[in-house]
Amino acid sequence: QVQLVESGGGLVQPGGSLRLSCVASGSIFRINVMGWYRQAPGKERELVANITTGGSTSYADSVKGRFTISRDNAKNTVYLQMNSLKPEDTAVYYCNLRQASLGYWGQGTQVTVSS
């Protein structure tokens, strides 16, 4: 089993920054993909960014140039640095880990961008 625990969400003004963290524990394979998804009220969950153990990244078009995903493989931790936040970034952000065709989710952390 794999457990994911997110932290770092909160309320921030437009143009501000937040850093999300997600720590994975349990049966973590050496090769995996970790990422962040988000779900706004009334919308489907969408991919924000992901990163492989080798460091390859991909981003949703809506966050390119503003968000940066990174990871520390030794700590089984993934980060999401979010800059220039917009009200439309408001959502519950979920950490995800995929390995051996299985996917695991964290409990989610709320990010609210509002003045």
Side-chain angles (χ1 to χ4, degrees), residues 60-98:
D61 287 344
S62 59
V63 307
K64 283 181 180 177
R66 300 188 299 123
F67 292 9
T68 302
I69 191 169
S70 61
R71 65 185 292 167
D72 184 333
N73 290 332
K75 297 181 179 179
N76 290 321
T77 301
V78 64
Y79 307 96
L80 186 68
Q81 178 66 44
M82 303 185 293
N83 298 329
S84 302
L85 282 161
K86 304 174 181 180
E88 51 264 43
D89 295 318
T90 296
V92 178
Y93 283 69
Y94 295 92
C95 180
N96 175 267
L97 184 149
R98 288 188 286 115

Side-chain angles (χ1 to χ4, degrees), residues 2-84:
V2 173
Q3 296 79 41
L4 302 172
V5 178
E6 302 110 330
S7 61
L11 173 64
V12 64
Q13 292 187 343
S17 298
L18 281 176
R19 189 192 195 208
L20 305 183
S21 299
C22 172
V23 180
S25 61
S27 300
I28 310 299
F29 291 2
R30 189 174 61 86
I31 305 298
N32 60 65
V33 179
M34 295 188 75
W36 292 94
Y37 288 70
R38 67 186 181 187
Q39 188 167 19
K43 295 187 177 181
E44 294 187 353
R45 192 172 296 188
E46 62 176 1
L47 173 67
V48 177
N50 61 27
I51 184 169
T52 68
T53 44
S56 296
T57 59
S58 63
Y59 295 90
D61 287 344
S62 59
V63 307
K64 283 181 180 177
R66 300 188 299 123
F67 292 9
T68 302
I69 191 169
S70 61
R71 65 185 292 167
D72 184 333
N73 290 332
K75 297 181 179 179
N76 290 321
T77 301
V78 64
Y79 307 96
L80 186 68
Q81 178 66 44
M82 303 185 293
N83 298 329
S84 302

